[in-house]
Amino acid sequence: MLKLDFHPAGRHFLQIPGPSPVPDRILRAMSYPTIDHRGPEFGALGLKVLDGVKKIFKTSQPVVIYPASGTGAWEAALCNTLSAGDAVLMYETGHFATLWKKMAENLGLKPEFLGLPGIEGWRRGVQADLIEKRLREDARHAIKAVCVVHNETSTGVTSDIAAVRRAIDAAAHPALLLVDTISGLASADYRHDEWGVDVTISGSQKGLMLPPGISFNAVSEKAREASKLANLPRAFWDWADIIEMNKQGYWPYTPNTNLLYGLSEALDMILGEGLDNVFARHQRLAAACRAAVGAWGLEIQCADPAVYSPVLTGVMTPEGIDADAVRKLIYEHFDLSLGTGLGKVKGRMFRIGHLGDCNDLTLMAALSGCEMGLKLVGIELKGSGVMAAMDYLTQHVAKPSLKAAA
Ligand SMILES: *Cc1c(COP(=O)(O)O)cnc(C)c1O
């Protein structure tokens, strides 16, 4: 891409689990001229996106939008609610949970990392009973927050956030619930209010189909109360001024105007399709992808079918086959980008993204590239994953009317 004198024929297939492909509609919306961020048109845009994004988080409470990557919104969630030396209970689902824990340490918090031993925890979702047990032991309520990742992008495992809420309530513990759904939002079902989440963190470049560059904190009343006492240093990330100015559709600083044009368009697309239809589309594509992996005779990183991710599928390569070598070959031969294995699973798996602006043929192209690459590397496949995925998609048609017409 950086070699400007070289342009491969056809389109590149960006099938990593974020950034996801940005639809033309959104790219065009972002190409409008940048306007005065204190002017009247801007206020209308601000109010539209601030209101629309609440529907995506399923909340009636404020959603703060930062001109930052998801990592910035992680920091915002911690520094707005917690104080130096606070104990936080974080759950190890994979690489992103691990990075968030490192950040908590860097900020001067005392994170305790809960999880199943070894690689087991990277193959299953959050075990809410472990959280409940730990909170029951904390009779003096030293733990100030429980932090979990909803869709662990490094593994392809989605956790049951409602169960985590029930665990906290069962222990009658006052800890805040902080949830990262940076890659889950607008692809996997998510309910900020109903699940009693205090801060939900998300980002633009995954299910929302935008380029990287904006991120979010959905904030409960309890979290805002906590922020009044929290003493971790914060200035840029402070919710109070932003929420106040957002009431008129403005920000205390220059917001990311063109990305907000894109967000406005993304909201029209997602809410136009209907959130439930968006979720069903992702579930169907994910099931087709898993049918392909099964037909190849390869193993899926997620070991619990109840928590398979609708966002991405982690594919384990056979013992002795470097997953990154497979990825490299697929990229070079078929102009298809797949996600690398991260942290503990580096070299052992690759990730197929099927999030955001993905349809049947996008997925089929990605699976074709994978199947050809796996063959070229010399892996003995059990059968054709491409055929299995096509069978799944045709046996589970998205639009019932098509079936009736046939
Ligand atoms: C992508 C991602 C992040 C990091 O977001 P950045 O925008 O890269 O800072 C954090 N958590 C999860 C679950 C993610 O998928």
Side-chain angles (χ1 to χ4, degrees), residues 17 69-72 74 96 149 151-153 180-183 205-206:
S69 84
T71 304
W74 262 350
F96 286 102
V149 175
N151 185 75
E152 179 52 77
T153 323
D180 165 347
T181 188
I182 293 179
S183 63
Q205 76 273 29
K206 317 254 166 118

Side-chain angles (χ1 to χ4, degrees), residues 96 124 212 279:
F96 286 102
R124 295 169 192 281
F279 299 150

Side-chain angles (χ1 to χ4, degrees), residues 327-340:
R327 279 179 54 249
K328 183 163 179 282
L329 183 143
I330 290 171
Y331 174 77
E332 285 170 359
H333 285 259
F334 308 115
D335 203 14
L336 161 65
S337 290
L338 299 166
T340 183

Side-chain angles (χ1 to χ4, degrees), residues 103-145:
M103 173 186 272
E105 280 164 359
N106 291 345
L107 289 171
L109 298 168
K110 298 244 164 356
E112 177 180 333
F113 220 16
L114 206 61
L116 297 172
I119 207 67
E120 239 347 77
W122 286 47
R123 302 198 68 185
R124 295 169 192 281
V126 172
Q127 308 292 302
D129 55 333
L130 294 183
I131 292 180
E132 181 179 336
K133 181 167 171 284
R134 182 62 189 91
L135 291 179
R136 281 185 190 278
E137 289 162 9
D138 182 36
R140 296 167 67 189
H141 298 164
I143 294 167
K144 299 302 176 201

Side-chain angles (χ1 to χ4, degrees), residues 55 58-59 73 121 134 138 144 171 219 228 315:
K55 299 191 178 91
K58 295 200 176 155
T59 184
R134 182 62 189 91
D138 182 36
K144 299 302 176 201
V219 181
K228 292 176 186 158
V315 183

